Amino acid sequence: MLKGKDILNTAQFSLQELNLIMNTAANFEKRVKSGEIIRNMEGQVVASLFFEPSTRTRLSFETAANRLGARVISVADAKSSSAAKGESLADTIRTVDGYADVIVMRHPMNGSAQIAADNASHPVINAGDGTGQHPTQALLDLYTIRKERGVLGGQTITFLGDLKNGRTVHSLGYFMALCKNKMIFVSPKSLKMPAKITEDLRSRGAEIEETEDVEKALSVSDMVYVTRVQRERFEDPEEYEKVKGVYVINRAMIKKAKKGITILHPLPRVDEIATDVDNYEGAAYFRQAHNGVYIRMALLALISGSI
Ligand code: NCD
């Protein structure tokens, strides 16, 4: 179903495909945890091109490829590749396409993943394109929701923080709509979810509420997805200073929130979740980061046709 496909955005997925990816990830998780050596991608090469900072996404992709028996070639820093000499993205991709069987790329420009896919014969996975999309993060978010809540749909989720620049919420919104969850968007006025995305989600049948009142939102939410204010996307540092600490989730707020609320965050966190929340049992963000390996194993194996 997914063999040979590019993974560029979350609007592209059907429920059937999501279920296939979730089930494949669960199977890999079980096998890895039982100590099995898995070799589905033996003999294949995965290119990991990161032209923007990353810890979790790059390392979990590379871990996933290694755990499948593939070899990894990587650019971990734009300064160390020929991009720094002025090479176009199209030319870099045409070159790497001759080396690797799958290309994973993070790049600061919106739409860069599509450019990469247009210039590669092998499948391209978007590991974050500017303020655009981050589909593999949304897949691991959904896998985490399935594990933490036992269901994919019928819940209320609050998206909190920088909804304008945060690519993770742009991506997850489509899965929440597809799985029929209600969404509440909470952000400062200047960091609202782009109207184009909100309208697109509504046209897909999503129920969405927008507010600045975080306590009210949390009192009716089964989950809250907290995001970092994306400092690197601000042209004016003063604008960042104005909004950076506007919403901070702490233990006292959890007490007033809906009982059993699940707290998600793609990480890295700066100060938007106080560390006193970390030992709350519904704080799922580090478990969420670990889930990335199994989701990325599933994706790599499925699109390379190794399963
Ligand atoms: C996110 C990203 O890069 O968009 N990080 C991640 O991949 N887990 C979120 C962020 O940087 O705030």
Side-chain angles (χ1 to χ4, degrees):
M1 198 176 347
L2 287 161
K3 187 177 170 190
K5 280 205 180 166
D6 300 309
I7 307 297
L8 302 182
N9 62 65
T10 49
Q12 74 181 70
F13 288 94
S14 66
L15 260 183
Q16 207 186 359
E17 286 170 330
L18 290 186
N19 279 315
L20 173 68
I21 296 167
M22 299 297 126
N23 292 337
T24 307
N27 182 266
F28 278 132
E29 177 167 4
K30 209 164 64 199
R31 290 164 66 194
V32 168
K33 288 186 169 165
S34 76
E36 186 183 333
I37 307 293
I38 299 165
R39 304 216 177 280
N40 291 57
M41 287 188 75
E42 198 156 45
Q44 298 200 50
V45 174
V46 173
S48 158
L49 310 179
F50 280 74
F51 300 107
E52 241 192 10
S54 172
T55 302
R56 275 148 290 271
T57 306
R58 184 170 71 82
L59 294 182
S60 66
F61 257 118
E62 296 186 6
T63 302
N66 280 305
R67 287 220 186 268
L68 287 164
R71 301 286 177 104
V72 177
I73 55 171
S74 62
V75 170
D77 174 5
K79 291 200 264 328
S80 70
S81 83
S82 283
K85 298 180 187 170
E87 184 173 51
S88 71
L89 177 60
D91 285 2
T92 303
I93 294 297
R94 272 189 211 117
T95 306
V96 174
D97 192 41
Y99 303 156
D101 302 290
V102 178
I103 299 172
V104 178
M105 185 185 80
R106 168 171 290 185
H107 194 283
M109 187 175 75
N110 286 29
S112 53
Q114 183 66 56
I115 294 175
D118 291 344
N119 286 281
S121 62
H122 292 104
V124 169
I125 301 180
N126 178 8
D129 62 331
T131 59
Q133 280 249 344
H134 192 352
T136 69
Q137 177 69 44
L139 285 167
L140 79 87
D141 297 338
L142 195 64
Y143 186 57
T144 305
I145 290 170
R146 189 171 97 154
K147 286 172 72 177
E148 300 285 328
R149 309 284 319 174
V151 289
L152 291 182
Q155 312 253 299
T156 297
I157 184 166
T158 287
F159 286 178
L160 178 70
D162 186 351
L163 309 187
K164 176 181 178 217
N165 300 301
R167 55 196 171 197
T168 63
V169 280
H170 300 169
S171 287
L172 187 58
Y174 286 87
F175 288 164
M176 293 297 92
L178 189 62
C179 296
K180 305 207 178 321
N181 291 287
K182 180 183 170 183
M183 289 175 264
I184 306 178
F185 295 163
V186 183
S187 68
K189 275 205 177 65
S190 62
L191 299 179
K192 272 176 74 165
M193 182 70 87
K196 202 164 152 258
I197 297 181
T198 308
E199 278 160 26
D200 195 15
L201 294 174
R202 284 197 171 121
S203 78
R204 290 162 186 257
E207 191 189 341
I208 297 172
E209 207 181 296
E210 293 184 276
T211 174
E212 288 175 54
D213 185 345
V214 66
E215 291 198 359
K216 192 159 155 245
L218 297 191
S219 72
V220 296
S221 291
D222 304 293
M223 304 177 272
V224 56
Y225 192 97
V226 188
T227 64
R228 172 180 71 88
V229 178
Q230 309 276 299
R231 185 177 51 180
E232 66 276 31
R233 312 291 180 206
F234 284 70
E235 274 163 28
D236 179 357
E238 268 178 38
E239 277 304 307
Y240 172 73
E241 291 302 321
K242 272 191 221 155
V243 287
K244 70 173 184 194
V246 172
Y247 294 111
V248 177
I249 298 285
N250 57 34
R251 201 65 190 232
M253 287 170 80
I254 305 289
K255 281 211 183 81
K256 285 191 245 159
K258 185 168 176 184
K259 200 167 180 305
I261 190 168
T262 300
I263 305 181
L264 301 160
H265 190 306
L267 301 178
R269 105 177 115 184
V270 182
D271 52 14
E272 58 280 356
I273 301 181
T275 50
D276 68 0
V277 177
D278 294 0
N279 60 4
Y280 162 64
E281 62 176 12
Y285 28 97
F286 288 105
R287 296 192 289 275
Q288 187 180 353
H290 295 163
N291 288 332
V293 172
Y294 311 113
I295 275 294
R296 290 173 172 128
M297 284 180 82
L299 265 186
L300 287 171
L302 287 166
I303 69 168
S304 65
S306 318
I307 197 167

